[in-house]
Amino acid sequence: MAEKKSLGKELTKGIIAENPVLRLVLGTCPTLATTTSVESAIGMGLAASVVLICSNVVISALRKVIPDKVRIPAYIVIIASFVTIVQMVVKAFLPSLDEQLGVYLPLIVVNCIILGRAEAFASKNPVLASAVDGLGMGIGFTAALFLMGAVREVFGAGTFLGNSIPFLSENPMLIFILPPGGFFVFGVLMAAVNKLAESKGKKRAELRGCEACPMAQNCALNKKEVAES
Amino acid sequence: MTKELISILLTAILTQNFVLAKFLGICPFLGVSKKLNTAVGMSAAVIFVMALATAVTYPINKFLLVKLDLEYLQTIVFILVIAALVQLVEIILKKYMPALYNALGIYLPLITTNCAVLGVVILNVDSGYNFAQSMFNSVGAGLGFMLAMVMFAGVRERLDSCEVPKFMQGLPITLVAASLVSVSFLGFTGIVENIFG
């Protein structure tokens, strides 16, 4: 029973309390770049989720085999293999999505959420828990991208999933789907999420800079900043 | 020929700025831009690694992967080459050029998982650039990264002395400021085509 309860917790924490994009501020690059439409936002979210779940499972299964010193390169190889598989599947079956995501599809390799979860969770937990953690984080990531994509597509193009919306489609605010709109919508979304979190007595999401980076403990910049302060 | 190369360089710096138009390298852009000197150091290291990574991956792609029909391995090969390269550069700098290492070396591990470096390498391959074009595109992307970082570091230093409404403090106002910097770069749209077209 206790086992079941904790698995449920692993699943839900990624969606709300520790949402990778809105609470942990990870994976900002794809969040800004691939949310010009709902379709590409969901496509990106799902592609990254598949990679996240698969790599979490494999890394967790191999956690006792991988030597500690070379774990980061080992994780990167595992993640890159799954990204390549996803890339091939998308190219074969969803060529239009492949075109929309372009360079951001192979760039899932360097998505900090995936390497971050590998380092923080999958390397220390059993396979099933890691899979559930990956699923939860994946859903959280996809939900955040969907939210961004919906706002930007509705206001920027006046459509939702390609269906035009009466008033807005005649007066689309193009700036929303241009790069500045991405920063702006994300900024306002973060302000709203922070406000909500504060009203529930939680801490506001802050940019944690190096702390959030999976490479942080190998990085001298981190040590230098500590030494300076 | 030179005209074309300069046009690639300027496009990468201004109209297709890596950070503000392509959203690559947002983590360091938001994370390391608090102080001007760290912003400059980080971007110098990025320019260096981007140029080096392109110089190394271009022949690997052309003479190994394409020749052996292994293009589908590009993602894995590129990220491993970049990671190994960064490690190697770090070791060499530490041993032979301690002064340079102190200035740039500390940023190197951070760059391995920086999507801008892998991004520029993949974009070069996708655009079918030859060696010279790839190098100009990489250096331009790095310079564009530096320009955005330095500008934004200046904006953030001013932002610190402003009174921001409580709900916008911290990350939200930083993102809105980035949005405004990005708007200023929209002004360059078409300028390169008009000069060289």
Side-chain angles (χ1 to χ4, degrees):
Chain A
M1 190 63 197
E3 176 81 336
K4 245 185 193 166
K5 203 176 166 194
S6 74
L7 275 185
K9 221 174 178 185
E10 301 302 351
L11 182 69
T12 47
K13 76 162 189 243
I15 303 172
I16 297 166
E18 286 182 37
N19 186 300
V21 177
L22 301 173
R23 298 289 297 154
L24 303 181
V25 204
L26 292 173
T28 32
C29 298
T31 309
L32 293 166
T34 60
T35 51
T36 47
S37 73
V38 177
E39 196 191 337
S40 62
I42 293 178
M44 182 70 203
L46 291 182
S49 304
V50 171
V51 175
L52 180 58
I53 296 168
C54 296
S55 66
N56 257 6
V57 167
V58 172
I59 288 168
S60 164
L62 294 176
R63 71 186 185 282
K64 286 176 186 141
V65 186
I66 299 173
D68 200 41
K69 272 196 175 156
V70 292
R71 65 182 195 288
I72 300 270
Y75 297 163
I76 291 179
V77 175
I78 293 169
I79 296 168
S81 318
F82 283 115
V83 170
T84 307
I85 296 170
V86 167
Q87 234 180 315
M88 289 164 117
V89 171
V90 171
K91 269 207 178 90
F93 296 106
L94 298 162
S96 70
L97 184 67
D98 179 57
E99 218 159 85
Q100 278 180 25
L101 295 180
V103 71
Y104 299 100
L105 196 55
L107 284 182
I108 295 175
V109 180
V110 284
N111 188 320
C112 357
I113 299 172
I114 297 173
L115 198 55
R117 286 331 281 173
E119 177 84 350
F121 197 91
S123 60
K124 296 173 193 130
N125 287 286
V127 176
L128 188 61
S130 302
V132 173
D133 173 76
L135 181 65
M137 286 286 163
I139 295 173
F141 181 61
T142 312
L145 286 193
F146 171 75
L147 218 62
M148 285 274 295
V151 172
R152 290 181 72 185
E153 195 186 325
V154 164
F155 288 107
T159 57
F160 184 80
L161 274 171
N163 309 311
S164 62
I165 293 165
F167 175 72
L168 290 166
S169 64
E170 291 135 36
N171 312 289
M173 289 175 263
L174 194 61
I175 192 88
F176 273 90
I177 46 175
L178 291 174
F183 284 112
F184 183 76
V185 173
F186 192 39
V188 174
L189 196 62
M190 287 308 300
V193 169
N194 278 346
K195 190 93 191 156
L196 204 69
E198 266 182 346
S199 72
K200 300 224 164 183
K202 298 252 169 61
K203 272 204 300 195
R204 25 189 315 141
E206 270 313 323
L207 194 67
R208 302 187 298 169
C210 286
E211 254 176 72
C213 171
M215 302 296 285
Q217 46 176 299
N218 308 358
C219 175
L221 181 66
N222 211 13
K223 287 166 203 152
K224 191 189 162 221
E225 276 190 350
V226 172
E228 270 177 2
S229 63
Chain B
M1 184 67 190
T2 13
K3 214 170 152 184
E4 197 198 332
L5 292 180
I6 293 172
S7 135
I8 287 178
L9 187 74
L10 285 180
T11 307
I13 298 176
L14 298 176
T15 46
Q16 288 294 320
N17 187 288
F18 249 54
V19 178
L20 297 166
K22 286 210 177 101
F23 298 122
L24 296 170
I26 297 288
C27 297
F29 177 66
L30 295 175
V32 200
S33 65
K34 259 190 197 139
K35 281 189 223 123
L36 193 61
N37 56 350
T38 27
V40 173
M42 173 82 189
S43 354
V46 167
I47 298 177
F48 180 64
V49 173
M50 272 182 173
L52 201 64
T54 308
V56 173
T57 51
Y58 183 84
I60 289 179
N61 182 49
K62 182 152 187 198
F63 299 115
L64 216 60
L65 297 182
V66 175
K67 206 156 224 178
L68 299 175
D69 273 333
L70 292 173
E71 279 115 323
Y72 62 88
L73 285 179
Q74 271 164 354
T75 313
I76 301 182
V77 170
F78 288 170
I79 185 76
L80 285 180
V81 167
I82 291 171
L85 199 67
V86 171
Q87 283 283 309
L88 196 68
V89 169
E90 200 186 345
I91 294 168
I92 293 174
L93 281 186
K94 212 175 193 170
K95 176 97 177 140
Y96 295 106
M97 286 172 260
L100 195 63
Y101 176 75
N102 284 332
L104 298 185
I106 52 165
Y107 303 104
L108 287 175
L110 210 64
I111 293 174
T112 317
T113 50
N114 180 340
C115 46
V117 177
L118 184 62
V120 78
V121 170
I122 294 175
L123 278 175
N124 283 336
V125 172
D126 283 354
S127 325
Y129 285 156
N130 65 29
F131 188 69
Q133 288 168 325
S134 301
M135 287 309 287
F136 270 80
N137 191 32
S138 306
V139 173
L143 288 173
F145 182 79
M146 184 179 237
L147 182 64
M149 286 283 275
V150 170
M151 274 177 68
F152 197 55
V155 171
R156 281 186 82 168
E157 276 175 18
R158 295 291 294 270
L159 205 60
D160 277 343
S161 57
C162 292
E163 226 174 276
V164 180
K166 182 140 190 295
F167 74 103
M168 287 298 276
Q169 269 167 17
L171 184 62
I173 193 69
T174 311
L175 285 164
V176 172
S179 161
L180 293 178
V181 176
S182 175
V183 169
S184 72
F185 271 75
L186 272 188
F188 290 117
T189 311
I191 197 165
V192 177
E193 288 81 356
N194 282 337
I195 296 175
F196 296 100

